[in-house]
Amino acid sequence: MKTPLVRATLIMLLLAPLAKADIAVIVSAKSSAGNLTADQVSQIFLGKSNSFPGGGQAVPVDQSEGAGPREEFYTKVTGKSAAQVKAYWSKLIFSGKGQPPKEIGNDGAVKKLIADNPNMIGYIDKGAVDSSVKVVLSQ
Amino acid sequence: MKQRLMVAAVGSALVALTSQVWADGSDAFKLRGFGTVGVVHSSTDLADYRTGLNQPNGAGYSHKYDFGVDSKLGLQADMKANDILSGTIQVISERRYDKTFKPTLEWANAKIQATSDLAFHAGRMALPVYMVSDYRKVGYANPWVRPPTEVYFQVPFSHLDGADAVYRLNTGDVSTTFQAYGGRTKNKIPTSAGMNESEGRRTLGLNVTSEIGSLTLRAGYVRTRFTYQGPATNTFFNSYRALANGVDKLAAGAAQVAAGAQSAGQQPLPAPILTALSNTATSAAAAAADATATAQSVRSIVERYEADNVPASFVGFGALYDPGGWFIQAEYTKRTNDSLVADTTAWYLSGGVRVGKFTPYATYSRIKTDSELTSNGASPISAPAISNLPAIPQLAALQAGIDQVNGGVPQINQSLGLLNGGLNVLLFAGSTAQRNITLGVRWDVMKNMDVKMQWDQLKIDNKGAGYTLNNNQVGFDPGKKINLFSLAVDFVF
């Protein structure tokens, strides 16, 4: 009796962080941008590219520092920890070479902004995806 | 003057832009800052360790624990008028040449983003001669407490008043940036012999940086007209010049004697006197020629060693491989110039591993002198003394001239010897050879802040001058290894 329950609980505990960690990189449903690779997304979010591979301006938006998906996104997509990303932007900011993406609250705020702006690109928890946005990369 | 006007013009344009942006209430204005609180302790108290040629004192002799070596505070305002025009002002407070922490205007430049790949800057900007030139003062952006001083001491300027063009070329997986820049730069350098002024005029440079995935490669070249002068060097070279003028007079005197002896030799005089006159004429002509050669040699020493608007160049190659979990970074640099300031080659190799919030790192850095640290100096007058004349009243005036020339030669040679000795002291003071081994750890203690602990072991080659040291005291033994302990907290906001 007890064993399946314990097992189920254990499996849930193990899966929970993984399930929560799924990140969707999104653009507006109105955007013509196609699927992107992690490298391409990384280029846009690290300020190395300001356009989509198929053309068109790409404006990245970040979630607030400390928001759940943020650390996950950078670790998975750019391979950099939050501290590394911070140090990376410090290099660019204080050498006058670039500005980090604008910070826009959480999943909901990012989704709403992106839905209305076809040139923007952001990331949210996969569970928050709806028809107003299009997933271009899933991690 | 022109330079100041230009900086002032760009500065006021930026202030105007700021107030406009403020009025709009938009977020096109960003005020950010960076800083370091650091302390350094040195194992010797007979010399000061410092991190820039413009720092007058440091850890060791002046301070047992020095908070002034690495501590600094920077404020940066970024303004954006529209997608094309933006501007940056950066003010830094750190230990200056005059021992104060008076804030200095590090940058004030306007940027025009002409196309998505082409931008221009004008005003005061970073002098981009090193791999980490433009964020070298931002501790948080660097793995170490400070960039390896052996390499970063070579060019004593951090900013440039001028303009640049930056072009970015994306080809497949390679992103290459070309930066061409020009302008002028100036700095004050405190020395034991007074405050020197260092200046680079007509500076022109080109950098090419390629990013290929985790690999960054950089090559840079810059040339300038370099001046490095101060009260001591000016007095020194003026003494050489005065001496050259003195030698000219002596040569003229010897030539007069030669001419006088020759014309006296035309007179109907007894044979022994004619022989003596002829000998005098010959030896006086030789002395005149020799003195002229010495005067030339003295002037060529001034020409060769005085750092007055002389051609200078700096070449640097850099590489960084940073896949995330670890990094390795190296730079190789070469400084050349046509003056008593030494030509140098310097390089470092550094690497670190990121283990969670900790990044232990190690660096080996080295600098050596490429130019000669000794000189024979100007050649003395070596012709034999002018031969004397028989003591007869008719030749007394001529003999007086001979005595004057013969008496002047040793005096000139003695002064020349002293100056040549001084030249060698100055050349040796430019001796740079040393190496440094660094071990440290960076701890990303919290968001926007790191703590670093660093140990450096400095060894000066051949009992040299100690390039990164100052205020060396009697009894300081340059052959002995120096241990430096640094603790720093870096932050950005």
Side-chain angles (χ1 to χ4, degrees):
Chain A
M1 264 290 272
K2 258 185 195 170
T3 324
L5 189 66
V6 169
R7 194 181 293 156
T9 314
L10 272 177
I11 287 170
M12 273 176 67
L13 279 174
L14 283 171
L15 286 180
L18 291 177
K20 194 172 173 269
D22 270 359
I23 293 290
V25 178
I26 54 162
V27 294
S28 167
K30 293 176 249 172
S31 164
S32 57
N35 282 349
L36 300 177
T37 65
D39 260 356
Q40 288 166 336
V41 172
S42 174
Q43 297 264 320
I44 293 170
F45 273 86
L46 295 178
K48 290 177 182 171
S49 170
N50 47 21
S51 55
F52 287 107
Q57 198 194 9
V59 180
V61 292
D62 247 338
Q63 298 218 6
S64 307
E65 268 183 64
R70 181 163 160 155
E71 172 94 46
E72 205 62 39
F73 167 77
Y74 278 104
T75 314
K76 283 183 160 175
V77 176
T78 67
K80 289 182 194 291
S81 70
Q84 271 177 274
V85 172
K86 193 86 196 170
Y88 171 85
W89 278 114
S90 299
K91 284 183 190 180
L92 296 190
I93 292 166
F94 297 116
S95 55
K97 280 189 183 145
Q99 298 290 330
K102 204 177 267 188
E103 288 180 15
I104 313 286
N106 54 13
D107 284 348
V110 167
K111 187 169 61 181
K112 188 167 179 300
L113 188 72
I114 295 224
D116 297 337
N117 290 285
N119 60 355
M120 285 186 173
I121 176 168
Y123 53 87
I124 54 174
D125 189 295
K126 209 170 183 178
V129 172
D130 63 26
S131 62
S132 69
V133 293
K134 187 160 81 178
V135 176
V136 289
L137 174 71
S138 212
Q139 287 276 303
Chain B
M1 191 58 201
K2 244 196 239 163
Q3 180 182 6
R4 267 194 216 154
L5 276 176
M6 195 183 72
V7 171
V10 172
S12 46
L14 292 179
V15 168
L17 181 58
T18 315
S19 41
Q20 187 202 327
V21 168
W22 271 123
D24 287 354
S26 73
D27 61 356
F29 177 86
K30 284 241 158 63
L31 188 65
R32 293 193 179 93
F34 58 89
T36 297
V37 179
V39 61
V40 183
H41 173 71
S42 166
S43 63
T44 178
D45 57 5
L46 293 174
D48 277 339
Y49 176 79
R50 62 213 170 126
T51 56
L53 280 174
N54 56 335
Q55 289 186 338
N57 56 11
Y61 169 69
S62 298
H63 305 92
K64 198 169 164 57
Y65 293 91
D66 192 355
F67 282 87
V69 172
D70 294 307
S71 298
K72 56 181 74 69
L73 182 67
L75 278 178
Q76 180 174 318
D78 290 291
M79 295 137 282
K80 199 170 174 178
N82 50 48
D83 283 345
I84 293 169
L85 180 66
S86 58
T88 302
I89 294 178
Q90 193 183 84
V91 176
I92 297 184
S93 164
E94 60 183 340
R95 180 179 279 160
R96 308 195 321 165
Y97 63 91
D98 56 2
K99 298 185 185 177
T100 71
F101 280 75
K102 239 169 93 179
T104 46
L105 185 66
E106 187 70 13
W107 299 348
N109 61 69
K111 177 184 178 186
I112 292 173
Q113 188 77 46
T115 72
S116 64
D117 295 321
L118 179 65
F120 300 94
H121 297 87
R124 177 168 289 184
M125 62 193 79
L127 177 70
V129 298
Y130 298 116
M131 193 148 179
V132 297
S133 286
D134 31 19
Y135 55 91
R136 63 192 280 188
K137 296 184 174 179
V138 186
Y140 187 82
N142 285 292
W144 328 279
V145 170
R146 61 192 84 90
T149 44
E150 281 61 34
V151 168
Y152 282 76
F153 251 71
Q154 291 176 98
V155 176
F157 311 109
S158 61
H159 57 242
L160 173 84
D161 293 332
D164 78 356
V166 181
Y167 180 70
R168 188 168 67 177
L169 181 71
N170 284 313
T171 49
D173 293 338
V174 185
S175 169
T176 305
T177 307
F178 299 88
Q179 180 188 25
Y181 59 95
R184 61 196 298 177
T185 177
K186 221 177 186 175
N187 206 353
K188 281 198 166 67
I189 300 190
T191 72
S192 53
M195 192 64 73
N196 285 359
E197 281 253 344
S198 193
E199 194 175 2
R201 270 176 276 185
R202 289 197 268 151
T203 305
L204 280 176
L206 178 70
N207 295 322
V208 182
T209 309
S210 279
E211 286 177 66
I212 313 146
S214 304
L215 179 67
T216 306
L217 296 173
R218 177 190 182 278
Y221 170 79
V222 59
R223 59 168 204 196
T224 190
R225 302 291 290 195
F226 175 65
T227 299
Y228 180 63
Q229 288 176 329
T233 53
N234 287 344
T235 306
F236 178 72
F237 286 110
N238 286 339
S239 305
Y240 259 130
R241 279 194 197 92
L243 189 71
N245 293 338
V247 179
D248 277 345
K249 284 197 184 108
L250 189 92
Q256 265 176 13
V257 168
Q262 208 160 28
S263 87
Q266 308 297 317
Q267 308 299 316
L269 290 163
I273 293 182
L274 286 178
T275 309
L277 279 169
S278 164
N279 288 341
T280 297
T282 311
S283 57
D290 199 35
T292 305
T294 292
Q296 264 169 11
S297 160
V298 170
R299 294 204 167 90
S300 72
I301 288 289
V302 174
E303 182 72 15
R304 162 73 187 81
Y305 289 110
E306 191 174 40
D308 182 13
N309 211 23
V310 297
S313 71
F314 190 74
V315 181
F317 298 96
L320 165 68
Y321 186 72
D322 187 348
W326 54 281
F327 72 90
I328 186 158
Q329 180 169 338
E331 271 185 276
Y332 177 88
T333 53
K334 235 173 160 41
R335 175 180 86 177
T336 54
N337 78 105
D338 294 348
S339 80
L340 58 81
V341 174
D343 293 345
T344 53
T345 298
W347 58 272
Y348 70 84
L349 177 66
S350 184
V353 183
R354 298 191 180 92
V355 190
K357 291 182 181 303
F358 294 91
T359 309
Y361 57 88
T363 307
Y364 183 90
S365 56
R366 190 158 216 340
I367 180 166
K368 65 183 189 67
T369 312
D370 299 329
S371 47
E372 289 291 333
L373 290 174
T374 56
S375 167
N376 293 330
S379 39
I381 302 169
S382 55
I386 302 172
S387 49
N388 289 322
L389 292 167
I392 55 169
Q394 292 89 328
L395 295 177
L398 204 51
Q399 181 60 44
I402 295 169
D403 290 345
Q404 224 173 4
V405 172
N406 283 347
V409 169
Q411 281 177 20
I412 280 174
N413 282 348
Q414 194 193 357
S415 305
L416 197 56
L418 288 173
L419 286 174
N420 286 342
L423 176 64
N424 280 287
V425 170
L426 281 176
L427 284 173
F428 184 72
S431 150
T432 56
Q434 67 182 45
R435 68 105 176 107
N436 193 12
I437 293 170
T438 303
L439 291 176
V441 62
R442 171 188 169 127
W443 173 27
D444 282 287
V445 63
M446 55 184 270
K447 203 172 72 181
N448 302 349
M449 187 184 278
D450 72 54
V451 177
K452 288 169 189 160
M453 268 173 67
Q454 183 170 310
W455 167 74
D456 293 270
Q457 191 204 59
L458 185 64
K459 189 171 170 292
I460 295 161
D461 287 15
N462 304 326
K463 308 224 166 211
Y467 195 39
T468 49
L469 302 175
N470 197 17
N471 301 326
N472 298 9
Q473 301 299 301
V474 177
F476 171 66
D477 175 7
K480 211 173 148 193
K481 288 169 187 157
I482 298 167
N483 291 294
L484 300 158
F485 303 93
S486 310
L487 185 69
V489 177
D490 302 308
F491 51 89
V492 290
F493 55 93

